[in-house]
Amino acid sequence: MAGGSHSSVTEFVLLGFTDLQELLFVIFLLIYITTLVGSLGVIVLIRTNSQLHVPMCFFLRHLSFLHICYSSSITLKLLSGLLAERNVISFNGCITQLFFFAVFGTTEAILLTLMVYDRDVAIREPLRYLAAMSHGVRVQLVVGSYAAGSLNALVRTSALLRLSFCGPNLVNNFYCEIPPLLLLSWSSAQLNEMVMAACVGFIITTSVLAIVVSYACILLTIWSICSAEGRHQAFSTCTSHLMAVALFYGSAAFLYFHPFSRCAEDQGKTASVFYTMVTPMLNPFIYSLRNKEVRSTLRRATNELLSCKCSHRFRSNQAEADITCHSGVSRRNQADT
């Protein structure tokens, strides 16, 4: 067992939500289905349409894939736990969930920053945009994002495995995460709190700083060269993007930087719902459907689908009318005979 030399705990009980479990199951299931449909729809739309094979949509496709992985790593266990009398997860399963949660969360934060950088290059240096964001460069950036996410997850889980867990094993959350687990440790968690604050603080600080600087450069460029209508559209796009970023980073900052106490666990549980489920559900709409190219492609695909259905229905009705007419002529011929 992982950490077996220090711990006698073989499983954790996830307390999760104790009230209105049937209602919460339906709500979380709908949120998860919406996330899957939205993210898969974006991936299929980008893969099947050659007009969307551009750098920005390349990052959108990987971001949508992350939403599926990110949400699935948490929501599936939550849904099964809401249907069970006792939501139990093994020690190894808890560490595994924590590791992949950190990988996907960190990678998503970095990808959000890369998407802003992509827009920065496209607006400020349009002539060298395709060369600067070539396919090879984009692949390297995405691979680097996953590598950074894996490194962050490895550091945090390795620091957690040095602690002793000898009971109790009741985790006041719906998934395994470091803050509630630190409250259960018999060892000093001061080093773990420092490591977690350093890792999360570095990622949030550098990402937010890069986003703010990039958007400041974008807005300055647009203000100097665009019309009033173009400036209004750019400001609208930036505002929606920044609101989504604020939701993601705000819930993450509250989750990790609020005091580690049992009184704050319920507040952290609420923030975790936004961080793990609501944000992945909203991101496909915020980052994809507000994209002009994706929106126009989706509109064309919808119109083509409706046209095909109408054409098929018209041909079916016409065929039925021809058959009816032919039957009527045959009956009249038989009567005349």
Side-chain angles (χ1 to χ4, degrees), residues 7 9 11-14 89-99 156-157 159-161 163-173 175-189 192-193 196 260-262 265:
S7 304
V9 171
E11 63 183 22
F12 292 103
V13 178
L14 302 176
I89 186 171
S90 66
F91 187 96
N92 291 334
C94 183
I95 297 300
T96 301
Q97 186 185 59
L98 190 153
F99 175 82
R156 292 169 61 181
T157 52
L160 185 67
L161 287 174
L163 301 179
S164 299
F165 295 94
C166 303
N169 64 341
L170 303 179
V171 179
N172 188 17
N173 209 335
Y175 70 105
C176 288
E177 182 54 317
I178 291 180
L181 290 177
L182 294 181
L183 298 175
L184 302 179
S185 174
W186 285 50
S187 306
S188 174
N192 294 79
E193 294 177 4
M196 186 179 65
F260 300 146
S261 64
R262 299 189 183 277
E265 283 184 332

Side-chain angles (χ1 to χ4, degrees), residues 114-137:
L114 293 178
M115 291 169 64
V116 181
Y117 170 73
D118 173 84
R119 293 296 85 197
D120 186 14
V121 176
I123 295 175
R124 297 178 62 195
E125 302 178 87
L127 296 180
R128 59 180 298 269
Y129 171 61
L130 293 180
M133 300 299 295
S134 63
H135 180 74
V137 172

Side-chain angles (χ1 to χ4, degrees), residues 14-168:
L14 302 176
L15 299 181
F17 302 95
T18 56
D19 299 325
L20 303 174
Q21 291 185 325
E22 294 80 6
L23 177 61
L24 290 177
F25 176 84
V26 174
I27 294 174
F28 293 149
L29 180 60
L30 291 177
I31 292 176
Y32 181 62
I33 293 175
T34 304
T35 302
L36 291 182
V37 172
S39 299
L40 287 174
V42 170
I43 293 174
V44 172
L45 189 66
I46 294 176
R47 287 293 300 271
T48 57
N49 196 300
S50 59
Q51 294 182 351
L52 297 180
H53 293 174
V54 295
M56 183 62 175
C57 292
F58 178 85
F59 293 119
L60 281 175
R61 189 179 67 189
H62 284 277
L63 187 64
S64 299
F65 172 75
L66 273 177
H67 292 155
I68 296 174
C69 299
Y70 184 72
S71 181
S72 298
S73 65
I74 302 298
T75 311
L76 292 178
K77 179 59 181 174
L78 170 61
L79 292 176
S80 64
L82 289 173
L83 298 178
E85 295 182 0
R86 190 166 177 262
N87 188 11
V88 177
I89 186 171
S90 66
F91 187 96
N92 291 334
C94 183
I95 297 300
T96 301
Q97 186 185 59
L98 190 153
F99 175 82
F100 284 105
F101 172 75
V103 170
F104 299 136
T106 305
T107 306
E108 179 179 355
I110 298 174
L111 269 182
L112 294 179
T113 307
L114 293 178
M115 291 169 64
V116 181
Y117 170 73
D118 173 84
R119 293 296 85 197
D120 186 14
V121 176
I123 295 175
R124 297 178 62 195
E125 302 178 87
L127 296 180
R128 59 180 298 269
Y129 171 61
L130 293 180
M133 300 299 295
S134 63
H135 180 74
V137 172
R138 298 196 302 268
V139 171
Q140 292 177 5
L141 291 175
V142 171
V143 171
S145 301
Y146 279 99
S150 300
L151 178 62
N152 174 57
L154 183 62
V155 171
R156 292 169 61 181
T157 52
S158 298
L160 185 67
L161 287 174
R162 58 175 289 274
L163 301 179
S164 299
F165 295 94
C166 303

